[in-house]
Structure formats: C-alpha cells, structure tokens
Amino acid sequence: MPTREVPVASPVPPCRRSHRAGRPARLLMTSARTPQSLRILWLGTSIMEHRQAHSPRLTDPATLAQVGETVRITEHRSTGYVHRVRLALQLAHPRVSFICDNRGQGGATSRDLATAAQALPPHLRYDLAVYGCGINDVWRAHQGRTAEEVSIQEYAEHYAATLTILTDRARRILCVSETPFGPVGPPAAVAAMNHDLELYNRAAAQCAATAGVPFVDVWTPFVQIARDFAHQPGRERPTLWSDGVHLSDLGVALLAQHVAGHLREERVIEQFLRAPADPSEGMRGRRATTPCTDGR
C-alpha cells in the first residue's frame, strides 16, 4: 500500500514508526479506511427523550456563569441514557460514525408511539431501532385521565403493531422494558402503579418474543438497587429518580449500563460491520405477524 512520510510532530492517526540511520525518526501513515456510519432510531417516552436545557455558559469552563447570574438558554438537548449509550458505542468503535435519531416523546403512550412509527418518513432506514414504552399508559389510568389511558390489551396491540412497522425500517430491533415508578406518591399508590406496570412489561416481553426481537429487562436491577439504596442510613440516600418518574444521573447510568451491555455482549455492532447491508432491507424473515398476549 502506498505510504507518505510525515514529521513526528504532526497530528496523525495510529501508524507505525520508521527510523533510518542519520535521520530523525518519522512515522509512516497508511491511508485510513473510510469510516462506516450506523443509524440508530430511538422510539420511546421521556425516559428515552430526556430533554435538558442547554447554554454554553453552563458547560464552557472559560465562560462559566457565576452563582446568581442569569443565563440565556440557547436550546434543548436530548441527553440521558441514549446519550451515554452513544458515547459508549463511539469509544468502543472509534472508526464508526453513530447517527442517533432520538424520537422519544414526553408523555407518549403506546398509542402515540404507534402513530409516530406510522408517520416516520418513508425514506428513513435504520441499522438498529430501540423501542420501549408503557409507563404513561399505566400512569394516565392512575391519574384519572381516562381519555389518555391505554388498557393492557390495547397496549399489546399497539406494541406488536409498532414492532411490525419497525421490522420494515431497521435491520435489527431491540426492545427495552420500562423502569419502575419511584417515590412519586404515597407508598400504596406507587405499589399499585408498579404492579400494573410490571404486567405491561410482561406483555411487552411477550410481544418482543413473538416478533423474535431481543428484550432487555431493566426492571429487575432497578428494583433491587432501589431496595439496596433504601437501606443506607441518613436522609441523603442515593436515588435512581429525579422526581419519582424521570431518572437521576444514577438511574441514567444504570439504564445505559444494561442497554450498552446487551449491545456489547451480543456483539451487535460487530455483526453490522461484518455484514454491511442496506438498511432498507429491514429485518427479513422476522415479521411480528402473530398477535401477542397481554402478559397475564
């Protein structure tokens, strides 16, 4: 392969060192491969969207705002566990460009997300689609918002329908369970909501199994770690929630750990790279056509 010489002081990508007698050491740089791009769709609720206000004055050390100073918010950004998973993927695969399309919607139910999936622009194709919902389906019922609540039977229908749509849009799909409710109300009310939400998660897992789609269960680790935190002494205990529903930094880290862990352990990105294909092909032979049960 043709090479060219560049001085040691030049910023260069990984390369090999060459030294000839009487000459300064130089580095031989081979022409790099063209980076591959992978597109990831994220479809879910505010747990996935995780919008935060942003201003350079809040993040740039050189112009950091002083305590008590008014700051102009310049934009809202999606951060949370999706952002952390993307960072983990980028570090693990530095030659790959990860394009994340975060279509999480605050307050969305499975009904809303089925509509959103149907409305995806027809030209968009993805390598991976990550999907999860259910928390708002349950919450609306317990809030008495009957026009917005979604029964578990309807939830299973919407979940299966969305997977059917995504199989035609992505080479692979990954489903993620909902996280439980934290201290968002009286303990008895929270226990009742979590009882129902666990049933919805089971229905989602059944829909995913019917469609041949992997399902990442984050419910169990969230419940276990929340119980362990509760045993810590004092009032300032660690928590997985910022407000009882949305996640704290610890909750974000835990969710990202399990989603990124699944992608790493199943070598999903490596499989994409070994068998590059046009995402328009979709998940051939893996159609979610069989109705799933409500999980009870």
Side-chain angles (χ1 to χ4, degrees):
M1 182 178 295
T3 62
R4 62 186 180 90
E5 294 186 339
V6 287
V8 174
S10 299
V12 294
C15 46
R16 60 188 179 87
R17 188 177 298 274
S18 174
H19 178 70
R20 297 178 182 175
R23 293 188 181 183
R26 294 178 180 272
L27 297 177
L28 295 181
M29 180 179 67
T30 60
S31 55
R33 292 185 305 169
T34 302
Q36 184 171 346
S37 294
L38 294 177
R39 296 181 61 88
I40 305 176
L41 170 67
W42 302 83
L43 186 64
T45 66
S46 59
I47 304 298
M48 185 177 285
E49 181 187 36
H50 203 106
R51 300 287 278 174
Q52 287 188 342
H54 174 74
S55 168
R57 298 293 312 283
L58 298 176
T59 56
D60 185 356
T63 61
L64 198 63
Q66 299 300 310
V67 175
E69 185 179 355
T70 300
V71 174
R72 180 177 178 272
I73 299 301
T74 57
E75 63 178 319
H76 286 166
R77 290 181 176 179
S78 290
T79 56
Y81 91 91
V82 171
H83 179 64
R84 293 204 183 193
V85 170
R86 188 188 71 80
L87 294 180
L89 292 176
Q90 192 63 81
L91 289 174
H93 306 278
R95 287 183 175 268
V96 180
S97 173
F98 292 94
I99 304 170
C100 286
D101 185 3
N102 190 336
R103 292 179 179 257
Q105 299 180 28
T109 63
S110 60
R111 185 187 300 145
D112 301 318
L113 295 176
T115 300
Q118 291 175 335
L120 285 170
H123 67 280
L124 288 182
R125 293 294 185 270
Y126 301 92
D127 296 284
L128 174 67
V130 184
Y131 175 57
C133 66
I135 193 167
N136 292 313
D137 300 61
V138 171
W139 201 12
R140 297 299 173 260
H142 286 267
Q143 290 174 318
R145 296 162 62 173
T146 55
E148 300 171 67
E149 69 177 274
V150 180
S151 70
I152 194 168
Q153 293 83 5
E154 184 185 354
Y155 170 77
E157 292 171 2
H158 290 314
Y159 205 101
T162 300
L163 290 182
T164 299
I165 294 171
L166 295 180
T167 56
D168 287 325
R169 295 304 188 92
R171 293 166 63 187
R172 295 186 65 155
I173 303 173
L174 176 64
C175 291
V176 181
S177 76
E178 289 291 71
T179 54
F181 290 99
V184 70
V190 173
M193 289 191 292
N194 277 333
H195 173 269
D196 291 347
L197 184 53
E198 189 171 14
L199 294 177
Y200 279 61
N201 269 339
R202 292 178 187 173
Q206 180 60 53
C207 288
T210 300
V213 172
F215 187 85
V216 176
D217 171 32
V218 298
W219 180 275
T220 302
F222 263 79
V223 170
Q224 183 58 56
I225 290 180
R227 287 174 178 167
D228 291 341
F229 282 164
H231 290 297
Q232 290 200 17
R235 292 187 175 183
E236 298 298 323
R237 300 187 185 101
T239 178
L240 297 173
W241 297 273
S242 60
D243 58 6
V245 178
H246 303 98
L247 303 181
S248 67
D249 286 346
L250 282 171
V252 165
L254 180 59
L255 185 49
Q257 179 185 81
H258 283 270
V259 174
H262 171 86
L263 297 175
R264 180 180 62 254
E265 292 164 10
E266 297 298 321
R267 302 187 67 79
V268 172
I269 305 304
E270 288 83 354
Q271 291 177 39
F272 284 144
L273 299 178
R274 282 200 302 268
D278 184 347
S280 64
E281 294 178 2
M283 290 177 60
R284 291 178 174 173
R286 298 174 65 182
R287 298 289 189 264
T289 54
T290 305
C292 56
T293 66
D294 61 12
R296 289 182 290 186

